[in-house]
Amino acid sequence: MLQSPWRLRAQPGDTLTLPSPQWLSLLLLVLLPGPLPVAGMEDAAFPHLGESSQPPPRACPPRCSCPRVDTVDCDGLDLRVFPDNITRAAQHLSLQNSRLRWRQYAGGRSLALLRSVYLHNNQLSNAGLPPDAFRGSEAVATLSLSNNRNNLISKVPRGALSRQTQLRELYLQHNQLTDSGLDATTFSKLHSLEYLDLSHNQLTTVPAGLPRTLAILHLGRNRIRQVEAARLHGAPGLRYLLLQHNQLGSSGLPAGALRPLRGLHTLHLYGNGLDRVPLALPRRLRALVLPHNHVATLGARDLAATPGLMELNLAYNRLTSARVHHRAFRRSRALRSLDLAGNQLTRLPMGLPTGLHTLRLQRNQLRTLEPEPLTGLDQLQELSLAHNRLRVGDIGPGTWHELQALQVRHRLVSHTIPRAPPSPCLHCHIPNILVSWSSNQNKKMVRVG
């Protein structure tokens, strides 16, 4: 049995009994550290003294959120100064909906990995983009500078975007860009650009120097009065051209002006004061949207240049039955949707394409329906006749015989009308009707428009 290792005396001259050898051995085992580590035996995954097993916090600007290492989201924070501590790993930067101005801009230069930058709804200076605004961020693919309030962007200086060769989407809508604020080099070096939105500005002509890669060009709600073919030669791959709500009038889109756009798919010309369908349109055009113009005539050859047209919208123009040629649709065999609503037609047009799926004729002055114009339309699924002048007896016998594919498109009236020849439409005195035929139930359905 071990004895007490020591005895202590508090008075001077007291003696100190040293520990026994057995106690000294135990003391050394407790107090001395373990064996020295051998090189290569450390466990890097095990936290050492003063370390934490949690990953270090990501660098993120104050008040912003950084859900991923490559994402910095400062949306809607009412910032007045650009953040200066954005991680260099950032690829997606959201700074929209604040009060940022260019003179405070200090970002971008070291953010070489940036892929998308959102700066819309700020107060970016009326002086335009700084020439070196995005220097050092040449990888940007999406750039949004739209809807800048108070001081709107009025120009893009030469070279401001020349380094953005990977830019695919550029949003500059809702600013104050003018023709003098852009030049032939503004977009010409954007060799990857596919989408360009310049709508809601003050342009009077199509910008020059459009890149060959451009697929969608949005120029709606400007002041464009003339479209020149020379301005479009650089963008032969353009697929969608949106020119709605401009000031083209009767001479702003001359015949052949769009001929360089051989691959054009969709053309929007809503609200331009056009008095006829533009001539010599690209042959591959699939959708022509012309509502709210002044088109009063549809001639025999007006659609001849676009045999592949699938959608034609001439709603709310000035067409009359007497001025729609009976051969106007002769070459439009691919047409699937025809919208003639809001015109002054008193009868159905003749020679309608047999492949039609949708025919809209509401808000005209139709006084009669005869079977002949509908003959062969066995693929028609929607026929809108609301708000016309049809009355009892105005729909001829056999009118609905060919229309076996018609389907319900609006609110169904609380009752159905059983099949009852030779008077197939007993309720056509209702002024706001859409009549359709259901071959599955073998009965007509009347629905309110």
Side-chain angles (χ1 to χ4, degrees), residues 3 56 121 177 183 258 271 310 313 316 341 370 386 393 409 420 444:
Q3 300 297 320
N121 290 330
L177 290 171
D183 62 32
L258 302 181
M310 299 184 68
N313 190 331
Y316 299 95
E370 296 293 338
R409 282 294 179 272
K444 284 197 311 297

Side-chain angles (χ1 to χ4, degrees), residues 419-431:
R419 189 175 185 179
S423 180
C425 188
L426 302 178
H427 285 67
C428 288
H429 64 281
I430 301 176

Side-chain angles (χ1 to χ4, degrees), residues 55 198 237 383:
L198 294 169
L383 174 59

Side-chain angles (χ1 to χ4, degrees), residues 173 197-201 217-224 242-246 268:
Q173 69 269 30
D197 193 340
L198 294 169
S199 62
H200 295 267
N201 278 284
L217 177 58
H218 196 341
L219 291 168
R221 293 191 181 274
N222 276 277
R223 302 177 181 179
I224 297 175
L242 312 179
L243 284 164
Q244 64 269 27
H245 291 292
N246 277 283
H268 275 245

Side-chain angles (χ1 to χ4, degrees), residues 369-371 395-400 422-424:
L369 289 180
E370 296 293 338
I395 298 181
T399 297
W400 313 115
S423 180

Side-chain angles (χ1 to χ4, degrees), residues 119-355:
L119 284 163
H120 49 277
N121 290 330
N122 276 285
Q123 296 181 6
L124 303 184
S125 170
N126 191 35
L129 297 176
D132 60 347
F134 300 101
R135 183 174 298 172
S137 301
E138 285 77 15
V140 171
T142 301
L143 176 58
S144 178
L145 298 168
S146 62
N147 294 74
N148 280 287
R149 53 191 184 273
N150 298 333
N151 297 315
L152 305 180
I153 297 174
S154 63
K155 64 180 180 179
V156 180
R158 180 182 292 266
L161 299 173
S162 61
R163 297 174 181 267
Q164 269 57 58
T165 56
Q166 297 186 46
L167 192 62
R168 296 180 59 187
E169 302 174 28
L170 178 57
Y171 300 87
L172 285 164
Q173 69 269 30
H174 288 279
N175 280 291
Q176 290 184 353
L177 290 171
T178 62
D179 298 334
S180 61
L182 306 174
D183 62 32
T185 68
T186 301
F187 308 113
S188 62
K189 296 183 179 180
L190 304 180
H191 303 310
S192 301
L193 193 64
E194 298 176 2
Y195 185 101
L196 177 58
D197 193 340
L198 294 169
S199 62
H200 295 267
N201 278 284
Q202 299 180 26
L203 303 175
T204 63
T205 187
V206 177
L210 297 174
R212 297 182 63 83
T213 54
L214 196 62
I216 302 173
L217 177 58
H218 196 341
L219 291 168
R221 293 191 181 274
N222 276 277
R223 302 177 181 179
I224 297 175
R225 299 179 179 178
Q226 187 78 23
V227 176
E228 303 174 18
R231 296 289 182 102
L232 300 171
H233 276 294
L238 196 66
R239 298 270 292 164
Y240 297 86
L241 178 57
L242 312 179
L243 284 164
Q244 64 269 27
H245 291 292
N246 277 283
Q247 302 172 16
L248 295 176
S250 59
S251 59
L253 191 60
L258 302 181
R259 191 167 289 166
L261 307 178
R262 296 181 179 179
L264 192 65
H265 179 283
T266 298
L267 176 61
H268 275 245
L269 292 167
Y270 185 114
N272 268 282
L274 302 174
D275 60 3
R276 65 173 304 165
V277 175
L279 300 177
L281 293 174
R283 184 177 179 82
R284 297 179 182 176
L285 192 67
R286 294 294 181 265
L288 179 57
V289 184
L290 290 165
H292 292 276
N293 279 284
H294 302 156
V295 178
T297 302
L298 192 58
R301 298 192 57 79
D302 285 356
L303 303 175
T306 54
L309 199 64
M310 299 184 68
E311 177 185 350
L312 176 60
N313 190 331
L314 283 166
Y316 299 95
N317 277 276
R318 300 177 180 178
L319 292 171
T320 62
S321 293
R323 303 190 70 178
V324 176
H325 199 278
H326 67 279
R327 303 187 71 182
F329 304 104
R330 181 174 61 92
R331 299 287 302 276
S332 303
R333 298 176 182 176
L335 200 63
R336 296 294 179 265
S337 176
L338 177 59
D339 195 338
L340 297 172
N343 281 280
Q344 301 169 29
L345 303 175
T346 57
R347 61 180 183 272
L348 294 182
M350 298 295 295
L352 293 172
T354 56

